[in-house]
Amino acid sequence: MKGYLWTGGDPGSHKPVAPPEHGRLAPWEAIAVEAVGNVIEFWGFKRNQGRVWGLLYLRGEPLTAGEIERELDLSKGGVSMLLRDLEHWGVIQRVRVPQDTVWRYAAETDLVRMVTHVVEEREAAFVTRIRADLSEARRLAEATGGLPPERLRRLERMAVLAEHVERALRLFIKTSRLDVGGVLGAFRDGALARSKGER
Amino acid sequence: MKGYLWTGGDPGSHKPVAPPEHGRLAPWEAIAVEAVGNVIEFWGFKRNQGRVWGLLYLRGEPLTAGEIERELDLSKGGVSMLLRDLEHWGVIQRVRVPQDTVWRYAAETDLVRMVTHVVEEREAAFVTRIRADLSEARRLAEATGGLPPERLRRLERMAVLAEHVERALRLFIKTSRLDVGGVLGAFRDGALARSKGER
DNA sequence: GGTGCAGTTCACGCGGTCTTGAACTATATG
DNA sequence: CATATAGTTCAAGACCGCGTGAACTGCACC
Protein backbone atom coordinates (compact mmCIF):
# COMPACT_ATOMS: atom_id res chain seq x y z
CA MET A 1 0.00 0.00 0.00
CA LYS A 2 1.63 3.16 -1.11
CA GLY A 3 0.92 6.78 -1.47
CA TYR A 4 -2.75 6.46 -2.07
CA LEU A 5 -3.34 8.92 0.65
CA TRP A 6 -3.46 12.60 0.38
CA THR A 7 0.28 12.99 0.04
CA GLY A 8 1.47 14.73 -3.04
CA GLY A 9 -1.91 14.47 -4.59
CA ASP A 10 -2.51 15.53 -8.15
CA PRO A 11 -5.91 14.05 -8.40
CA GLY A 12 -6.75 15.66 -11.67
CA SER A 13 -4.21 13.91 -13.81
CA HIS A 14 -5.15 10.31 -14.55
CA LYS A 15 -3.69 10.09 -17.98
CA PRO A 16 -4.74 6.92 -19.71
CA VAL A 17 -1.14 6.09 -18.84
CA ALA A 18 -0.24 3.63 -21.55
CA PRO A 19 0.35 0.33 -19.80
CA PRO A 20 3.84 -1.08 -20.27
CA GLU A 21 4.39 -2.67 -23.66
CA HIS A 22 2.29 -5.78 -23.73
CA GLY A 23 2.97 -8.70 -25.94
CA ARG A 24 0.02 -8.84 -28.21
CA LEU A 25 -2.67 -7.70 -25.87
CA ALA A 26 -5.37 -5.64 -27.46
CA PRO A 27 -5.32 -2.15 -25.99
CA TRP A 28 -8.61 -2.60 -24.26
CA GLU A 29 -7.41 -5.82 -22.74
CA ALA A 30 -4.27 -4.16 -21.57
CA ILE A 31 -6.22 -1.46 -19.82
CA ALA A 32 -8.60 -3.86 -18.16
CA VAL A 33 -5.84 -6.18 -17.07
CA GLU A 34 -3.94 -3.28 -15.65
CA ALA A 35 -7.00 -2.11 -13.81
CA VAL A 36 -7.39 -5.45 -12.14
CA GLY A 37 -3.71 -5.35 -11.28
CA ASN A 38 -4.21 -2.04 -9.58
CA VAL A 39 -7.21 -3.13 -7.61
CA ILE A 40 -5.48 -6.23 -6.45
CA GLU A 41 -2.38 -4.40 -5.41
CA PHE A 42 -4.56 -1.98 -3.60
CA TRP A 43 -5.94 -4.81 -1.57
CA GLY A 44 -2.51 -5.83 -0.52
CA PHE A 45 -1.58 -8.42 -3.07
CA LYS A 46 0.95 -8.46 -5.80
CA ARG A 47 -0.19 -6.52 -8.78
CA ASN A 48 0.91 -9.29 -11.09
CA GLN A 49 -1.36 -11.73 -9.37
CA GLY A 50 -4.17 -9.45 -10.35
CA ARG A 51 -2.92 -9.07 -13.88
CA VAL A 52 -2.71 -12.79 -14.39
CA TRP A 53 -6.14 -13.38 -13.00
CA GLY A 54 -7.48 -10.52 -15.08
CA LEU A 55 -6.07 -11.91 -18.25
CA LEU A 56 -7.41 -15.37 -17.61
CA TYR A 57 -10.77 -13.99 -16.74
CA LEU A 58 -11.00 -11.83 -19.81
CA ARG A 59 -9.91 -14.55 -22.16
CA GLY A 60 -12.32 -17.07 -20.82
CA GLU A 61 -10.51 -20.04 -22.22
CA PRO A 62 -7.65 -21.55 -20.27
CA LEU A 63 -4.18 -20.32 -21.15
CA THR A 64 -0.80 -21.94 -20.77
CA ALA A 65 1.93 -20.51 -18.62
CA GLY A 66 3.87 -19.69 -21.75
CA GLU A 67 1.05 -17.63 -23.15
CA ILE A 68 0.65 -15.71 -19.96
CA GLU A 69 4.35 -15.13 -19.89
CA ARG A 70 4.23 -13.63 -23.35
CA GLU A 71 1.06 -11.61 -23.00
CA LEU A 72 1.97 -9.99 -19.74
CA ASP A 73 5.67 -9.89 -20.38
CA LEU A 74 6.67 -11.77 -17.26
CA SER A 75 9.41 -14.25 -16.61
CA LYS A 76 8.92 -17.97 -16.63
CA GLY A 77 9.71 -18.33 -12.98
CA GLY A 78 7.52 -15.45 -12.05
CA VAL A 79 4.53 -16.85 -13.83
CA SER A 80 5.05 -20.17 -12.15
CA MET A 81 4.97 -18.66 -8.72
CA LEU A 82 2.06 -16.39 -9.45
CA LEU A 83 0.03 -19.28 -10.77
CA ARG A 84 0.87 -21.32 -7.72
CA ASP A 85 -0.39 -18.58 -5.44
CA LEU A 86 -3.57 -18.04 -7.38
CA GLU A 87 -4.29 -21.72 -7.54
CA HIS A 88 -3.62 -22.03 -3.87
CA TRP A 89 -6.24 -19.41 -3.21
CA GLY A 90 -8.65 -21.18 -5.46
CA VAL A 91 -9.14 -18.28 -7.81
CA ILE A 92 -7.78 -20.10 -10.82
CA GLN A 93 -8.00 -23.69 -11.84
CA ARG A 94 -5.39 -25.89 -13.39
CA VAL A 95 -6.90 -27.88 -16.20
CA ARG A 96 -5.48 -30.51 -18.49
CA VAL A 97 -6.94 -30.33 -21.97
CA PRO A 98 -7.57 -33.86 -23.29
CA GLN A 99 -5.12 -34.58 -26.13
CA ASP A 100 -2.61 -32.14 -24.79
CA THR A 101 0.33 -32.42 -22.49
CA VAL A 102 0.62 -28.96 -21.02
CA TRP A 103 -1.24 -27.47 -18.13
CA ARG A 104 -3.65 -24.69 -18.73
CA TYR A 105 -5.14 -22.27 -16.27
CA ALA A 106 -8.62 -20.89 -16.10
CA ALA A 107 -9.96 -18.10 -13.92
CA GLU A 108 -12.47 -18.99 -11.32
CA THR A 109 -15.21 -16.41 -11.46
CA ASP A 110 -14.97 -15.21 -7.94
CA LEU A 111 -12.16 -12.81 -7.58
CA VAL A 112 -14.09 -12.02 -4.50
CA ARG A 113 -13.03 -15.27 -3.05
CA MET A 114 -9.52 -14.04 -3.36
CA VAL A 115 -10.20 -10.90 -1.49
CA THR A 116 -12.44 -12.35 1.14
CA HIS A 117 -10.30 -15.38 1.58
CA VAL A 118 -7.20 -13.48 2.27
CA VAL A 119 -8.92 -10.85 4.26
CA GLU A 120 -10.04 -13.73 6.37
CA GLU A 121 -6.53 -15.10 6.52
CA ARG A 122 -5.19 -11.79 7.57
CA GLU A 123 -7.82 -11.54 10.15
CA ALA A 124 -7.13 -14.95 11.55
CA ALA A 125 -3.41 -14.50 11.54
CA PHE A 126 -3.64 -11.06 12.94
CA VAL A 127 -6.62 -9.86 14.79
CA THR A 128 -6.41 -12.80 17.12
CA ARG A 129 -2.79 -12.04 17.63
CA ILE A 130 -3.50 -8.47 18.45
CA ARG A 131 -6.04 -9.56 20.94
CA ALA A 132 -3.55 -11.86 22.56
CA ASP A 133 -1.03 -9.07 22.78
CA LEU A 134 -3.46 -6.67 24.30
CA SER A 135 -4.66 -9.08 26.93
CA GLU A 136 -1.08 -9.96 27.69
CA ALA A 137 -0.34 -6.30 28.14
CA ARG A 138 -3.31 -6.05 30.40
CA ARG A 139 -2.16 -8.97 32.47
CA LEU A 140 1.25 -7.43 32.89
CA ALA A 141 -0.20 -4.08 33.69
CA GLU A 142 -2.41 -5.51 36.39
CA ALA A 143 0.46 -7.46 37.83
CA THR A 144 2.43 -4.26 38.08
CA GLY A 145 1.47 -2.58 41.28
CA GLY A 146 0.49 1.00 41.85
CA LEU A 147 -0.70 2.02 38.45
CA PRO A 148 -3.15 4.87 38.17
CA PRO A 149 -6.46 3.25 37.40
CA GLU A 150 -7.15 5.49 34.43
CA ARG A 151 -4.18 4.11 32.64
CA LEU A 152 -5.61 0.65 32.98
CA ARG A 153 -8.88 1.91 31.71
CA ARG A 154 -7.20 3.27 28.65
CA LEU A 155 -5.73 -0.06 27.93
CA GLU A 156 -9.10 -1.67 28.25
CA ARG A 157 -10.65 0.79 25.92
CA MET A 158 -7.98 -0.02 23.45
CA ALA A 159 -8.91 -3.66 23.60
CA VAL A 160 -12.57 -2.86 23.18
CA LEU A 161 -11.73 -0.72 20.23
CA ALA A 162 -9.80 -3.54 18.65
CA GLU A 163 -12.68 -5.89 19.11
CA HIS A 164 -15.10 -3.55 17.48
CA VAL A 165 -12.93 -2.96 14.51
CA GLU A 166 -12.71 -6.68 14.25
CA ARG A 167 -16.45 -7.02 14.32
CA ALA A 168 -16.82 -4.44 11.60
CA LEU A 169 -14.29 -6.30 9.55
CA ARG A 170 -16.10 -9.56 9.88
CA LEU A 171 -19.28 -7.90 8.88
CA PHE A 172 -17.61 -6.47 5.86
CA ILE A 173 -16.37 -9.83 4.77
CA LYS A 174 -19.74 -11.36 5.18
CA THR A 175 -21.63 -8.69 3.30
CA SER A 176 -19.14 -8.47 0.51
CA ARG A 177 -19.27 -12.15 0.01
CA LEU A 178 -23.01 -12.32 -0.09
CA ASP A 179 -23.43 -9.24 -2.13
CA VAL A 180 -20.91 -9.81 -4.82
CA GLY A 181 -21.31 -13.52 -4.65
CA GLY A 182 -24.94 -13.18 -5.49
CA VAL A 183 -24.24 -11.09 -8.51
CA LEU A 184 -21.69 -13.51 -9.76
CA GLY A 185 -23.99 -16.36 -9.18
CA ALA A 186 -26.26 -15.00 -11.85
CA PHE A 187 -23.33 -14.95 -14.23
CA ARG A 188 -21.46 -18.13 -13.72
CA ASP A 189 -22.83 -20.27 -16.47
CA GLY A 190 -21.96 -19.48 -20.00
CA ALA A 191 -18.61 -19.06 -21.63
CA LEU A 192 -16.40 -20.37 -18.89
CA ALA A 193 -18.12 -23.69 -18.44
CA ARG A 194 -18.20 -24.12 -22.17
CA SER A 195 -14.61 -23.24 -22.80
CA LYS A 196 -13.48 -25.72 -20.20
CA GLY A 197 -15.08 -28.60 -22.01
CA GLU A 198 -14.41 -27.66 -25.57
CA ARG A 199 -11.36 -28.45 -27.73
CA MET B 1 0.94 -4.79 3.67
CA LYS B 2 3.36 -7.62 3.77
CA GLY B 3 3.46 -11.33 4.24
CA TYR B 4 0.44 -11.62 6.44
CA LEU B 5 -0.93 -14.22 4.16
CA TRP B 6 -0.45 -17.90 4.38
CA THR B 7 3.03 -17.84 2.93
CA GLY B 8 5.67 -19.37 5.06
CA GLY B 9 3.27 -19.55 7.89
CA ASP B 10 4.26 -20.82 11.27
CA PRO B 11 1.08 -19.82 12.91
CA GLY B 12 1.86 -21.52 16.14
CA SER B 13 4.85 -19.44 17.04
CA HIS B 14 3.77 -16.02 18.26
CA LYS B 15 6.53 -15.59 20.73
CA PRO B 16 5.93 -12.61 22.92
CA VAL B 17 8.68 -11.34 20.64
CA ALA B 18 10.32 -8.79 22.87
CA PRO B 19 9.67 -5.45 21.25
CA PRO B 20 12.84 -3.57 20.33
CA GLU B 21 14.51 -1.95 23.28
CA HIS B 22 12.31 0.86 24.37
CA GLY B 23 13.51 3.83 26.26
CA ARG B 24 11.75 3.60 29.54
CA LEU B 25 8.47 2.15 28.47
CA ALA B 26 6.92 -0.24 30.92
CA PRO B 27 6.76 -3.70 29.41
CA TRP B 28 3.02 -3.67 29.21
CA GLU B 29 3.09 -0.34 27.50
CA ALA B 30 5.63 -1.60 25.04
CA ILE B 31 3.47 -4.53 24.13
CA ALA B 32 0.35 -2.46 23.72
CA VAL B 33 2.14 0.19 21.70
CA GLU B 34 3.61 -2.47 19.50
CA ALA B 35 0.21 -4.01 19.00
CA VAL B 36 -1.21 -0.76 17.78
CA GLY B 37 1.76 -0.40 15.50
CA ASN B 38 0.99 -3.75 13.99
CA VAL B 39 -2.66 -3.03 13.47
CA ILE B 40 -1.94 0.26 11.86
CA GLU B 41 0.66 -1.19 9.57
CA PHE B 42 -1.79 -3.87 8.70
CA TRP B 43 -4.20 -1.24 7.53
CA GLY B 44 -1.65 0.19 5.23
CA PHE B 45 -0.03 2.89 7.29
CA LYS B 46 3.39 3.21 8.74
CA ARG B 47 3.79 1.17 11.84
CA ASN B 48 5.43 4.08 13.61
CA GLN B 49 2.39 6.21 13.08
CA GLY B 50 0.50 3.62 15.02
CA ARG B 51 3.11 3.40 17.72
CA VAL B 52 3.09 7.10 18.27
CA TRP B 53 -0.66 7.25 18.43
CA GLY B 54 -0.70 4.26 20.74
CA LEU B 55 1.73 5.82 23.13
CA LEU B 56 -0.15 9.08 23.25
CA TYR B 57 -3.38 7.29 23.79
CA LEU B 58 -2.07 5.14 26.58
CA ARG B 59 -0.44 7.98 28.39
CA GLY B 60 -3.48 10.17 28.28
CA GLU B 61 -1.58 13.31 28.96
CA PRO B 62 0.01 15.18 26.08
CA LEU B 63 3.65 14.42 25.39
CA THR B 64 6.35 16.46 23.75
CA ALA B 65 8.10 15.41 20.60
CA GLY B 66 11.24 14.83 22.61
CA GLU B 67 9.53 12.43 24.95
CA ILE B 68 8.07 10.46 22.10
CA GLU B 69 11.45 10.37 20.48
CA ARG B 70 12.96 8.88 23.62
CA GLU B 71 10.21 6.48 24.51
CA LEU B 72 9.86 4.96 21.10
CA ASP B 73 13.47 5.34 20.13
CA LEU B 74 12.85 7.29 16.98
CA SER B 75 14.77 10.06 15.34
CA LYS B 76 13.94 13.70 15.75
CA GLY B 77 13.09 14.17 12.13
CA GLY B 78 11.03 11.05 12.03
CA VAL B 79 8.91 12.08 14.97
CA SER B 80 8.32 15.44 13.40
CA MET B 81 7.00 13.89 10.23
CA LEU B 82 4.93 11.28 11.97
CA LEU B 83 3.31 13.90 14.13
CA ARG B 84 2.57 16.00 11.13
CA ASP B 85 0.81 13.11 9.43
CA LEU B 86 -1.19 12.19 12.48
CA GLU B 87 -2.22 15.73 13.10
CA HIS B 88 -3.16 16.15 9.50
CA TRP B 89 -5.49 13.20 9.82
CA GLY B 90 -6.94 14.63 12.95
CA VAL B 91 -6.08 11.70 15.16
CA ILE B 92 -3.84 13.70 17.43
CA GLN B 93 -4.04 17.24 18.62
CA ARG B 94 -1.31 19.75 19.08
CA VAL B 95 -1.74 21.54 22.37
CA ARG B 96 0.17 24.29 24.06
CA VAL B 97 0.32 23.93 27.80
CA PRO B 98 -0.11 27.33 29.48
CA GLN B 99 3.20 28.37 31.09
CA ASP B 100 5.17 26.26 28.69
CA THR B 101 6.88 26.93 25.42
CA VAL B 102 6.95 23.56 23.75
CA TRP B 103 4.24 21.85 21.78
CA ARG B 104 2.61 18.79 23.18
CA TYR B 105 0.55 16.21 21.43
CA ALA B 106 -2.51 14.36 22.63
CA ALA B 107 -4.30 11.45 21.05
CA GLU B 108 -7.73 11.99 19.72
CA THR B 109 -9.88 9.08 20.78
CA ASP B 110 -10.98 7.95 17.40
CA LEU B 111 -8.32 5.91 15.84
CA VAL B 112 -11.23 4.87 13.75
CA ARG B 113 -11.24 8.20 12.12
CA MET B 114 -7.78 7.43 10.91
CA VAL B 115 -8.82 4.19 9.37
CA THR B 116 -12.11 5.31 7.93
CA HIS B 117 -10.69 8.55 6.75
CA VAL B 118 -7.97 6.99 4.78
CA VAL B 119 -10.07 4.15 3.60
CA GLU B 120 -12.28 6.83 2.20
CA GLU B 121 -9.35 8.57 0.64
CA ARG B 122 -8.20 5.43 -0.97
CA GLU B 123 -11.62 4.78 -2.24
CA ALA B 124 -11.98 8.20 -3.74
CA ALA B 125 -8.56 8.18 -5.30
CA PHE B 126 -8.90 4.70 -6.54
CA VAL B 127 -12.21 3.08 -7.05
CA THR B 128 -13.31 5.92 -9.25
CA ARG B 129 -10.17 5.58 -11.21
CA ILE B 130 -10.68 1.90 -11.71
CA ARG B 131 -14.14 2.56 -12.93
CA ALA B 132 -12.86 5.06 -15.41
CA ASP B 133 -10.31 2.59 -16.67
CA LEU B 134 -12.82 -0.14 -17.09
CA SER B 135 -15.28 1.97 -18.96
CA GLU B 136 -12.48 3.24 -21.13
CA ALA B 137 -11.54 -0.33 -21.88
CA ARG B 138 -15.10 -1.03 -22.70
CA ARG B 139 -15.28 1.88 -25.05
CA LEU B 140 -12.18 0.73 -26.86
CA ALA B 141 -13.40 -2.80 -27.00
CA GLU B 142 -16.68 -1.77 -28.54
CA ALA B 143 -14.93 0.42 -31.03
CA THR B 144 -12.85 -2.52 -32.11
CA GLY B 145 -14.82 -4.48 -34.63
CA GLY B 146 -15.44 -8.18 -34.78
CA LEU B 147 -15.02 -9.17 -31.18
CA PRO B 148 -16.74 -12.27 -29.92
CA PRO B 149 -19.62 -11.01 -27.83
CA GLU B 150 -18.72 -13.17 -24.86
CA ARG B 151 -15.49 -11.34 -24.46
CA LEU B 152 -17.37 -8.11 -24.18
CA ARG B 153 -19.64 -9.68 -21.68
CA ARG B 154 -16.70 -10.68 -19.56
CA LEU B 155 -15.50 -7.16 -19.51
CA GLU B 156 -18.89 -5.99 -18.43
CA ARG B 157 -19.00 -8.51 -15.67
CA MET B 158 -15.72 -7.23 -14.50
CA ALA B 159 -17.08 -3.75 -14.26
CA VAL B 160 -20.12 -4.95 -12.40
CA LEU B 161 -17.90 -6.82 -10.04
CA ALA B 162 -15.87 -3.72 -9.38
CA GLU B 163 -18.97 -1.76 -8.62
CA HIS B 164 -20.21 -4.26 -6.15
CA VAL B 165 -16.96 -4.48 -4.33
CA GLU B 166 -17.11 -0.75 -4.16
CA ARG B 167 -20.57 -0.84 -2.69
CA ALA B 168 -19.49 -3.34 -0.09
CA LEU B 169 -16.58 -1.14 0.77
CA ARG B 170 -18.75 1.88 1.25
CA LEU B 171 -21.03 -0.10 3.44
CA PHE B 172 -18.09 -1.23 5.47
CA ILE B 173 -16.90 2.25 6.04
CA LYS B 174 -20.30 3.39 7.08
CA THR B 175 -20.95 0.55 9.48
CA SER B 176 -17.53 0.66 10.99
CA ARG B 177 -17.86 4.31 11.63
CA LEU B 178 -21.21 3.95 13.28
CA ASP B 179 -20.34 0.85 15.18
CA VAL B 180 -17.01 1.80 16.61
CA GLY B 181 -17.90 5.41 16.74
CA GLY B 182 -20.80 4.61 18.97
CA VAL B 183 -18.66 2.65 21.32
CA LEU B 184 -16.16 5.39 21.56
CA GLY B 185 -18.87 7.87 22.17
CA ALA B 186 -19.66 6.12 25.39
CA PHE B 187 -16.05 6.46 26.42
CA ARG B 188 -15.00 9.88 25.43
CA ASP B 189 -15.49 11.71 28.63
CA GLY B 190 -13.27 10.81 31.55
CA ALA B 191 -9.57 10.75 31.70
CA LEU B 192 -8.75 12.39 28.42
CA ALA B 193 -10.85 15.46 28.90
CA ARG B 194 -9.49 15.78 32.38
CA SER B 195 -5.88 15.34 31.46
CA LYS B 196 -6.13 18.01 28.82
CA GLY B 197 -7.11 20.60 31.31
CA GLU B 198 -4.97 19.59 34.23
CA ARG B 199 -1.40 20.62 35.05
C1' DG C 1 19.98 -43.30 -22.98
C1' DG C 2 19.45 -38.68 -24.93
C1' DT C 3 17.12 -34.56 -26.42
C1' DG C 4 13.69 -31.03 -25.72
C1' DC C 5 10.22 -28.73 -23.45
C1' DA C 6 7.09 -27.70 -19.27
C1' DG C 7 7.44 -26.45 -14.79
C1' DT C 8 9.76 -25.34 -10.15
C1' DT C 9 13.05 -23.32 -7.06
C1' DC C 10 16.06 -19.94 -5.44
C1' DA C 11 20.07 -16.54 -5.00
C1' DC C 12 20.72 -12.10 -6.62
C1' DG C 13 19.69 -7.29 -8.06
C1' DC C 14 16.55 -3.67 -8.88
C1' DG C 15 13.29 -0.49 -7.29
C1' DG C 16 10.63 1.56 -3.90
C1' DT C 17 9.65 2.99 0.90
C1' DC C 18 11.00 4.42 5.55
C1' DT C 19 14.33 6.31 8.65
C1' DT C 20 18.13 8.69 9.76
C1' DG C 21 21.06 12.58 10.61
C1' DA C 22 22.64 16.91 9.38
C1' DA C 23 21.63 21.40 7.75
C1' DC C 24 18.36 24.83 8.29
C1' DT C 25 14.51 27.91 10.31
C1' DA C 26 12.04 29.73 14.13
C1' DT C 27 11.60 31.27 18.67
C1' DA C 28 12.71 32.22 23.24
C1' DT C 29 16.40 33.89 26.77
C1' DG C 30 20.33 36.26 28.69
C1' DC D 1 23.02 40.33 19.15
C1' DA D 2 24.60 35.74 20.61
C1' DT D 3 23.20 31.37 22.18
C1' DA D 4 20.35 27.52 22.98
C1' DT D 5 16.57 24.71 22.24
C1' DA D 6 12.26 23.21 19.56
C1' DG D 7 10.87 21.99 15.21
C1' DT D 8 11.14 21.14 9.95
C1' DT D 9 13.08 19.60 5.68
C1' DC D 10 15.58 16.72 2.73
C1' DA D 11 19.35 14.01 0.65
C1' DA D 12 21.67 9.70 1.61
C1' DG D 13 21.39 5.20 3.11
C1' DA D 14 19.23 1.06 5.19
C1' DC D 15 15.94 -2.07 4.38
C1' DC D 16 12.75 -5.20 2.13
C1' DG D 17 9.76 -7.25 -1.18
C1' DC D 18 9.37 -8.58 -5.92
C1' DG D 19 10.72 -10.35 -10.31
C1' DT D 20 14.43 -12.19 -12.97
C1' DG D 21 17.05 -15.69 -14.96
C1' DA D 22 19.74 -19.62 -14.44
C1' DA D 23 20.09 -24.09 -12.59
C1' DC D 24 17.41 -27.95 -11.66
C1' DT D 25 13.59 -31.60 -11.91
C1' DG D 26 10.28 -34.24 -14.33
C1' DC D 27 8.27 -36.13 -18.24
C1' DA D 28 7.44 -37.33 -23.08
C1' DC D 29 9.06 -38.86 -27.26
C1' DC D 30 12.69 -40.59 -30.39
Side-chain angles (χ1 to χ4, degrees):
Chain A
M1 214 135 296
K2 309 305 146 40
Y4 299 125
L5 324 186
W6 46 281
T7 19
D10 176 6
S13 57
H14 186 238
K15 324 102 187 173
V17 106
E21 11 115 6
H22 286 290
R24 44 187 55 229
L25 278 190
W28 65 276
E29 284 182 313
I31 294 181
V33 161
E34 227 56 39
V36 177
N38 288 333
V39 172
I40 258 8
E41 180 180 30
F42 179 77
W43 280 95
F45 303 81
K46 305 185 194 167
R47 94 175 286 118
N48 280 332
Q49 289 168 346
R51 299 209 307 147
V52 170
W53 182 89
L55 178 65
L56 292 177
Y57 182 84
L58 274 186
R59 287 295 171 87
E61 44 184 49
L63 301 186
T64 68
E67 287 165 336
I68 297 171
E69 189 184 329
R70 231 169 301 120
E71 298 286 29
L72 300 184
D73 192 37
L74 293 171
S75 71
K76 202 158 109 98
V79 170
S80 172
M81 292 163 60
L82 293 173
L83 288 175
R84 180 155 47 71
D85 294 346
L86 292 174
E87 189 187 2
H88 185 272
W89 289 327
V91 296
I92 67 173
Q93 233 175 354
R94 180 189 290 236
V95 302
R96 183 80 84 174
V97 177
Q99 322 310 25
D100 206 341
T101 170
V102 301
W103 284 110
R104 289 169 183 276
Y105 302 85
E108 203 63 58
T109 31
D110 34 351
L111 210 211
V112 194
R113 191 195 285 181
M114 179 160 180
V115 173
T116 56
H117 179 238
V118 177
V119 172
E120 276 169 352
E121 292 286 346
R122 296 193 228 179
E123 207 204 342
F126 223 74
V127 171
T128 64
R129 180 200 168 126
I130 296 304
R131 249 206 243 173
D133 280 349
L134 284 182
S135 63
E136 167 72 359
R138 196 173 162 193
R139 211 182 49 73
L140 280 181
E142 280 165 355
T144 312
L147 282 177
E150 352 128 21
R151 304 199 60 193
L152 280 182
R153 281 185 36 225
R154 292 186 165 275
L155 191 54
E156 278 163 32
R157 288 180 207 177
M158 199 175 256
V160 173
L161 180 60
E163 258 161 50
H164 279 261
V165 171
E166 179 184 355
R167 280 235 320 270
L169 191 75
R170 261 190 232 283
L171 183 66
F172 170 59
I173 294 172
K174 191 171 295 182
T175 52
S176 79
R177 185 172 14 233
L178 288 181
D179 189 353
V180 191
V183 172
L184 282 180
F187 280 136
R188 70 164 58 226
D189 47 15
L192 184 70
R194 257 183 277 120
S195 70
K196 267 185 196 160
E198 83 195 5
R199 169 163 307 190
Chain B
M1 217 138 292
K2 307 302 148 41
Y4 300 124
L5 323 185
W6 48 282
T7 18
D10 175 6
S13 57
H14 187 239
K15 324 103 190 174
V17 109
E21 10 115 6
H22 286 290
R24 44 186 57 228
L25 279 191
W28 67 275
E29 283 182 315
I31 294 180
V33 162
E34 226 57 38
V36 177
N38 289 332
V39 172
I40 257 8
E41 180 179 30
F42 179 77
W43 281 95
F45 304 82
K46 304 187 196 168
R47 91 175 286 117
N48 280 333
Q49 289 168 346
R51 299 208 307 148
V52 170
W53 183 88
L55 177 65
L56 292 178
Y57 181 82
L58 275 185
R59 288 295 171 87
E61 43 185 47
L63 300 186
T64 69
E67 287 164 335
I68 297 172
E69 187 184 330
R70 233 169 299 119
E71 299 285 29
L72 300 184
D73 191 38
L74 294 171
S75 69
K76 202 158 109 100
V79 170
S80 172
M81 290 164 64
L82 293 171
L83 288 174
R84 181 156 45 71
D85 294 345
L86 293 173
E87 189 187 3
H88 185 271
W89 289 326
V91 295
I92 68 174
Q93 233 174 354
R94 180 188 290 233
V95 303
R96 183 81 83 174
V97 176
Q99 324 307 28
D100 205 341
T101 170
V102 300
W103 284 108
R104 291 171 182 274
Y105 301 86
E108 203 63 57
T109 31
D110 35 351
L111 210 209
V112 193
R113 190 194 287 183
M114 180 162 180
V115 173
T116 55
H117 178 236
V118 178
V119 172
E120 276 168 351
E121 292 286 347
R122 298 193 228 180
E123 205 205 345
F126 221 75
V127 170
T128 64
R129 178 195 169 130
I130 297 303
R131 245 206 244 174
D133 280 349
L134 284 181
S135 64
E136 166 73 358
R138 195 172 163 194
R139 212 181 48 70
L140 279 182
E142 280 165 355
T144 314
L147 282 179
E150 352 130 18
R151 306 199 59 192
L152 280 183
R153 281 185 34 227
R154 291 187 166 275
L155 191 54
E156 278 164 32
R157 289 179 206 176
M158 199 175 258
V160 173
L161 181 60
E163 258 161 51
H164 281 260
V165 171
E166 179 184 356
R167 281 233 321 268
L169 191 76
R170 261 190 233 282
L171 183 65
F172 170 59
I173 294 172
K174 192 171 295 182
T175 52
S176 79
R177 191 181 356 243
L178 287 181
D179 188 354
V180 192
V183 173
L184 281 181
F187 280 135
R188 69 163 61 226
D189 47 16
L192 182 71
R194 255 183 281 123
S195 72
K196 265 184 196 160
E198 84 195 6
R199 170 164 307 193

PDB file of all heavy atoms in Angstrom, chain B residues 2 63 102 127:
ATOM      1  N   LYS B   2       2.220  -6.770   4.058  1.00  0.00           N
ATOM      2  CA  LYS B   2       3.361  -7.624   3.766  1.00  0.00           C
ATOM      3  C   LYS B   2       3.009  -9.093   3.615  1.00  0.00           C
ATOM      4  O   LYS B   2       2.178  -9.462   2.840  1.00  0.00           O
ATOM      5  CB  LYS B   2       4.370  -7.460   4.913  1.00  0.00           C
ATOM      6  CG  LYS B   2       4.719  -6.062   5.167  1.00  0.00           C
ATOM      7  CD  LYS B   2       5.295  -5.384   3.910  1.00  0.00           C
ATOM      8  CE  LYS B   2       4.964  -3.910   3.848  1.00  0.00           C
ATOM      9  NZ  LYS B   2       5.082  -3.234   5.118  1.00  0.00           N
ATOM     10  N   LEU B  63       2.206  14.563  25.309  1.00  0.00           N
ATOM     11  CA  LEU B  63       3.654  14.416  25.395  1.00  0.00           C
ATOM     12  C   LEU B  63       4.335  15.367  24.415  1.00  0.00           C
ATOM     13  O   LEU B  63       3.735  15.800  23.437  1.00  0.00           O
ATOM     14  CB  LEU B  63       4.062  12.989  25.057  1.00  0.00           C
ATOM     15  CG  LEU B  63       3.497  11.866  25.926  1.00  0.00           C
ATOM     16  CD1 LEU B  63       4.123  10.540  25.524  1.00  0.00           C
ATOM     17  CD2 LEU B  63       3.741  12.158  27.391  1.00  0.00           C
ATOM     18  N   VAL B 102       6.890  24.623  24.770  1.00  0.00           N
ATOM     19  CA  VAL B 102       6.947  23.560  23.754  1.00  0.00           C
ATOM     20  C   VAL B 102       5.558  23.047  23.390  1.00  0.00           C
ATOM     21  O   VAL B 102       4.612  23.167  24.162  1.00  0.00           O
ATOM     22  CB  VAL B 102       7.770  22.360  24.269  1.00  0.00           C
ATOM     23  CG1 VAL B 102       9.169  22.805  24.588  1.00  0.00           C
ATOM     24  CG2 VAL B 102       7.095  21.727  25.454  1.00  0.00           C
ATOM     25  N   VAL B 127     -11.085   3.784  -6.468  1.00  0.00           N
ATOM     26  CA  VAL B 127     -12.213   3.081  -7.053  1.00  0.00           C
ATOM     27  C   VAL B 127     -12.749   3.837  -8.250  1.00  0.00           C
ATOM     28  O   VAL B 127     -13.029   3.249  -9.295  1.00  0.00           O
ATOM     29  CB  VAL B 127     -13.312   2.885  -5.995  1.00  0.00           C
ATOM     30  CG1 VAL B 127     -14.558   2.379  -6.658  1.00  0.00           C
ATOM     31  CG2 VAL B 127     -12.837   1.915  -4.945  1.00  0.00           C
TER      32      VAL B 127
END
